[in-house]
Amino acid sequence: MQDISDIKTITIIGTGVQGHAIAQVALMAGFSRVILNDLSMELIDKAVDKIINDPKKGLRVLEKEGQLGDKVTTELLAKRLVKEENLHTAVKNTDFVIEAVPEVMSIKKEVFGKLGQYCPEHTIFATNTSTMSITEIGNASGRPEKVIGMHFFVPLENKLIEITKGEKTSEDTLKIATEVGYMLPSLEGKRLLIELQKESPGFIANRITSSTVIYINFLIEQAIARNIPFEQLDADVIDFLPIGLFYLSDTIGIDTVFNAMKYFEETLSPDFAPHELFTKFINENHLGQKTGQGFYDWSQDKEPSIDTSKKAGLVDIELLIAIQLNEGCRLLEEGCVSNYKTIDKAVSTGYRSPGPFSMGKKNYKQLVVKLDELAELTGKKYLKPCKLMRSGGFLDMRK
């Protein structure tokens, strides 16, 4: 049986928004070697520069703020960082792999197939997928007992990691991955790891928040028909959510949101099919903040702002709550978690917004009526309340 002391080298595959940040916290955790791998040295060099020199949260800034620890310097950590473009070389002697490639199942399965060929027998494979089946990804590796889901939420600033086993993930793999997760520092404080009892598309926090996509598609139609800027729709929710619905899509990446919606379309319901506007953005490479254009214009020196004095008056906050409460009840019905406090904790930590049960449990009967009306209006059957929400049976599942 492996022990956490056996984990000395970690390889991060994919150096984008998530990958380079995971590599940074792995360095800060004190692992002997952290290997960065991507499709080109240009991408890797760009990630290394962010890790070291990012003006807000790079290692140099954190060192000046005293957040790296006693006698820990940027230079010391940089010496432990290895750049490797060749995947085989990057993983041939590694103890732990964290995959952070694009949210496309075919890409992930291709990567894990190669990991199964290239890695030592003891290596544990973690996927940072935010939506997809750990079982399917694990089977592609040929070593499903060694594969686990570790879904990070903005790795440096957010302390949540959702841990998800596949059908064949071993208890030893779960144990080591959990210990690695707790070792990874967060600027927010001690890590919070939430383990799902059964995998589900989107796991917990993303499953809950993404459930509103069907309603968002309806809002996009309304906004286009009335020539209403998306900024005004975000102004409708800014007092309720820490960030606007469309602003959030831009910061996550419209391609990531699109891929998640397509996966939910395949696994949960055709009602999750992304609006054609998302497809238009993808075709034009308008992927949000990272490309300079999405629902907002990010090409200027400063981040776009939301004028809260100009509201569209289209977004019904109670419907957002109702949809998320219904999805939380579905997670309970499916046995992904045993109590609704865990769901609320995942959502409030991962997305800085109140959990659906804390917001909706007292007036769930009214929310049931509103969901029935919205399902009738849109023709989207997935919006209809599930049995547990309609009956109020979830009230007995607090702990």
Side-chain angles (χ1 to χ4, degrees):
M1 180 177 289
Q2 285 177 273
D3 186 83
I4 188 61
S5 61
D6 298 323
I7 308 299
K8 301 184 185 304
T9 299
I10 291 185
T11 299
I12 313 299
I13 302 174
T15 59
V17 174
Q18 289 275 329
H20 85 269
I22 295 170
Q24 183 172 337
V25 294
L27 283 172
M28 293 166 63
F31 291 102
S32 301
R33 288 201 312 161
V34 176
I35 303 172
L36 267 179
N37 169 262
D38 212 321
L39 296 175
S40 72
M41 193 55 69
E42 180 183 358
L43 291 171
I44 298 171
D45 285 337
K46 185 178 179 181
V48 171
D49 183 58
K50 286 182 180 179
I51 290 170
I52 295 174
N53 299 312
D54 186 283
K56 293 183 179 179
K57 53 191 177 183
L59 291 176
R60 295 195 191 281
V61 172
L62 297 183
E63 181 182 355
K64 288 180 180 178
E65 295 175 352
Q67 298 195 56
L68 295 186
D70 188 35
K71 297 181 180 180
V72 179
T73 66
T74 299
E75 284 67 29
L76 174 65
L77 297 184
K79 288 179 181 178
R80 298 174 181 169
L81 187 58
V82 178
K83 301 185 295 183
E84 183 50 65
E85 184 178 351
N86 183 280
L87 179 61
H88 192 178
T89 305
V91 301
K92 67 179 182 180
N93 294 311
T94 198
D95 303 309
F96 200 98
V97 173
I98 301 178
E99 164 272 312
V101 303
E103 194 73 348
V104 179
M105 180 60 86
S106 60
I107 297 176
K108 292 186 182 294
K109 290 169 75 170
E110 180 182 357
V111 168
F112 275 78
K114 291 177 180 177
L115 293 179
Q117 298 175 47
Y118 300 158
C119 291
E121 290 185 8
H122 70 276
T123 305
I124 289 174
F125 310 148
T127 171
N128 182 45
T129 179
S130 58
T131 53
M132 296 180 172
S133 168
I134 309 304
T135 298
E136 188 172 351
I137 293 171
N139 287 341
S141 73
R143 305 188 207 174
E145 72 283 355
K146 290 288 188 179
V147 177
I148 194 159
M150 292 182 71
H151 176 216
F152 291 78
F153 289 75
V154 194
L156 268 173
E157 298 97 325
N158 194 303
K159 63 185 181 182
L160 177 62
I161 301 176
E162 291 177 328
I163 298 283
T164 309
K165 293 169 58 179
E167 292 176 1
K168 299 177 182 177
T169 304
S170 72
E171 289 301 316
D172 187 35
T173 295
L174 172 64
K175 173 180 174 291
I176 296 293
T178 300
E179 290 175 338
V180 167
Y182 278 122
M183 285 181 66
L184 300 175
S186 164
L187 300 182
E188 191 179 62
K190 184 180 178 182
R191 281 284 173 193
L192 170 65
L193 270 63
I194 291 181
E195 180 188 342
L196 275 75
Q197 297 173 345
K198 178 183 176 184
E199 66 179 331
S200 82
F203 312 119
I204 301 176
N206 276 11
R207 173 82 178 264
I208 296 296
T209 55
S210 296
S211 63
T212 58
V213 159
I214 302 171
Y215 181 44
I216 290 171
N217 284 343
F218 173 74
L219 291 173
I220 290 174
E221 280 293 323
Q222 300 297 305
I224 292 174
R226 303 183 194 187
N227 199 28
I228 296 173
F230 294 108
E231 174 190 340
Q232 292 183 19
L233 290 176
D234 277 349
D236 283 352
V237 303
I238 206 65
D239 294 332
F240 165 67
L241 298 173
I243 187 171
L245 298 168
F246 301 98
Y247 196 102
L248 178 62
S249 290
D250 273 5
T251 56
I252 292 174
I254 287 174
D255 53 337
T256 300
V257 174
F258 176 85
N259 289 331
M261 291 162 72
K262 293 295 292 183
Y263 186 71
F264 288 136
E265 179 187 4
E266 295 170 7
T267 57
L268 292 176
S269 167
D271 290 344
F272 280 91
H275 189 276
E276 61 185 18
L277 181 60
F278 282 92
T279 304
K280 181 175 183 291
F281 282 157
I282 295 292
N283 292 337
E284 295 174 350
N285 199 40
H286 291 167
L287 308 181
Q289 184 177 13
K290 60 188 173 184
T291 61
Q293 186 67 50
F295 288 102
Y296 288 81
D297 180 5
W298 296 85
S299 62
Q300 307 304 312
D301 291 336
K302 60 180 181 179
E303 293 184 358
S305 59
I306 298 173
D307 186 349
T308 56
S309 69
K310 297 179 180 178
K311 298 184 178 183
L314 279 179
V315 184
D316 187 333
I317 300 299
E318 284 197 334
L319 277 177
L320 291 174
I321 295 171
I323 293 167
Q324 292 192 7
L325 180 62
N326 192 35
E327 205 64 25
C329 287
R330 282 198 177 99
L331 284 173
L332 293 172
E333 285 185 345
E334 293 168 14
C336 299
V337 288
S338 60
N339 64 84
Y340 69 70
K341 284 188 68 177
T342 298
I343 296 173
D344 275 356
K345 186 184 292 185
V347 173
S348 62
T349 305
Y351 282 102
R352 313 281 200 249
S353 61
F357 294 91
S358 67
M359 293 185 293
K361 63 185 179 183
K362 291 183 179 179
N363 63 329
Y364 79 90
K365 292 181 180 179
Q366 175 185 336
L367 298 181
V368 164
V369 173
K370 298 200 77 160
L371 273 187
D372 279 330
E373 291 173 349
L374 182 62
E376 183 68 25
L377 175 65
T378 61
K380 305 298 184 182
K381 294 181 179 180
Y382 191 84
L383 292 172
K384 294 189 74 66
C386 66
K387 291 181 180 179
L388 198 60
M389 178 171 173
R390 194 178 292 278
S391 68
F394 68 87
L395 293 169
D396 297 325
M397 303 177 71
R398 180 172 180 268
K399 294 182 178 179

